[in-house]
Amino acid sequence: MSEKKLQVAALCNGTVIDHLPANRLFKAVRLLGLEDYDGQLTIGNNLESAAMQRKGIIKISDRFLSEEESNKLALIAPLARVNIIRNYEVAEKRELTLPSDISDIVRCPNPKCITNHQPVSTRFHVTDEDGTVMLRCHYCEKQTRREDAELK
Amino acid sequence: MSSLVSISDYTRDEIMEILDRAAEFEKNPNQRTLEGKVVATLFFEPSTRTRLSFETAANRLGARIIGFSDASTSSTSKGETLHDTIQMVSNYADVIVMRHYIEGAARYASEVSRVPIINAGDGANQHPSQTLLDLYSIRKTQGTLNDLTICMAGDLKFGRTVHSLIQAMYYFNPTFRFIAPKELRMPDEYKLFCHRHGIRYEECTELDAHFDDADILYMTRIQKERFLDLDEYERVKDVYSLHLRMLDHSKDTLRILHPLPRVNEIAQDVDQSPKAYYFQQAQNGLYVRQAIISKALGL
């Protein structure tokens, strides 16, 4: 009996996002706007991992995530790893840092916030307070914990 | 552009500048410094007290007023966006004083307006002119803002004015005592703020005999509608009510503040005490608002 294994082809040029928590994979796909990406995309979820029990992985061919885009990931998966691949080699290993400001991607949970009543894009100021990452709405000034942030 | 949306928009120096100017206006509130200027008061949510205070402030300095006092009589009722309303009024006025029931409305307005915005209250968020008049009242009665013991009593959970005052006082090394029923105690966010900035505070649930060391007693109204358990409300509503006899052992220099309107949380008999300052506090609002409007106009 031959063993069939899923072969995830090595990437020639592009971006590999590894060590995504399994429950964050699809959020990451949405966050990075990959649903509309028309290049080759490989997505794996619930894969075995030494570092974490189950992980997700995204391989994006022929697209190099900017630092700004990678840092958006820090919002939902701070321990994810982003590798930029050029010519089959890891050209850059990127550590994620939380941006200080996040525009448009997170919803404000305050029903009385102007962003939930008028055509106004959301904006949050990100702070790390003794290890707890908080998002403060630029408009209504209410704070949300990073874990509770809802994507739009 | 010098809008005032949140108390945190002002630096410590700017706060002191406003307080100093307000003191000047108190000596001389009737001037013509704003002659030729138009102040728009856009009150999407009614608030007669605040609106009259701002309008008087502008009037006594020679400015003219336009505006509305209720969103239902404005183009908002036709579905006009806040953005468009602000654009339109920017055509007519030199400064906009705005009160809105939606949080963040003033911040957004300040980003789309061509003229400065003064926030007269946005939902449960900010009411910076109230905070500044509270600071003015504290400084005037205590001679300083530094190193004071401030007790805050009543609804500390939903009390916009107490939250804002804590944040504004952080420059001045205060010591706080938070006096509230369990249901309405100070939210963690503000206790963390104190902790992070090295501000001493304590909490208790009793008012009587718990403010004898205070320089300022800031009273707030406990509203029945904030309670999930009405029996609990009935139990606590009189515990946080201030009576004249409770002032017997308080400092001579104690002053009692309240953002008003007061209902039964300060008994009428307190009014006769020289420590009752809440009506003068409201009067101070006039001078502080004159300073705020003048600063916004760069005058």
Side-chain angles (χ1 to χ4, degrees), chain B residues 70-82:
Chain B
D70 185 338
S72 64
T73 57
S74 75
S75 51
T76 310
S77 61
K78 296 180 190 169
E80 183 175 57
T81 59
L82 180 61

Side-chain angles (χ1 to χ4, degrees), chain A residues 79-121:
Chain A
L79 301 176
R81 292 184 211 166
V82 174
N83 292 332
I84 303 294
I85 313 291
R86 291 182 202 277
N87 223 6
Y88 296 103
E89 300 213 338
V90 179
E92 189 189 335
K93 277 183 186 268
R94 215 177 263 165
E95 278 203 8
L96 303 185
T97 44
L98 265 177
S100 56
D101 251 48
I102 296 178
S103 290
D104 212 30
I105 50 181
V106 177
R107 220 179 62 79
C108 182
N110 177 13
K112 280 187 75 188
C113 179
I114 187 90
T115 58
N116 292 321
H117 287 264
Q118 296 272 314
V120 180
S121 292

Side-chain angles (χ1 to χ4, degrees), chain A residues 110-115 117-121 123 129-130 136 138-143, chain B residues 6 8 80-83 101-105 107-108 111 122-126 189 196:
Chain A
N110 177 13
K112 280 187 75 188
C113 179
I114 187 90
T115 58
H117 287 264
Q118 296 272 314
V120 180
S121 292
R123 200 174 134 197
E129 288 164 12
D130 310 318
R136 178 184 286 277
H138 171 72
Y139 292 102
C140 74
E141 303 189 22
K142 293 256 183 309
Q143 290 199 98
Chain B
S6 271
S8 54
E80 183 175 57
T81 59
L82 180 61
H83 169 276
Y101 48 92
I102 296 292
E103 286 142 33
R107 177 67 65 201
Y108 176 57
E111 291 172 354
D122 63 325
N125 187 28
Q126 292 277 333
E189 181 183 341
R196 230 171 261 124

Side-chain angles (χ1 to χ4, degrees), chain B residues 110-168:
Chain B
S110 73
E111 291 172 354
V112 304
S113 173
R114 291 191 303 284
V115 301
I117 298 284
I118 298 172
N119 184 9
D122 63 325
N125 187 28
Q126 292 277 333
H127 189 0
S129 63
Q130 176 73 48
T131 309
L132 287 162
L133 77 87
D134 288 345
L135 290 177
Y136 182 78
S137 302
I138 293 171
R139 187 174 85 159
K140 187 165 179 213
T141 59
Q142 305 299 316
T144 180
L145 286 170
N146 295 312
D147 312 314
L148 299 172
T149 297
I150 299 174
C151 290
M152 296 175 165
D155 181 352
L156 304 185
K157 183 173 180 189
F158 297 105
R160 169 176 66 183
T161 53
V162 297
H163 299 162
S164 206
L165 188 58
I166 291 170
Q167 292 172 317

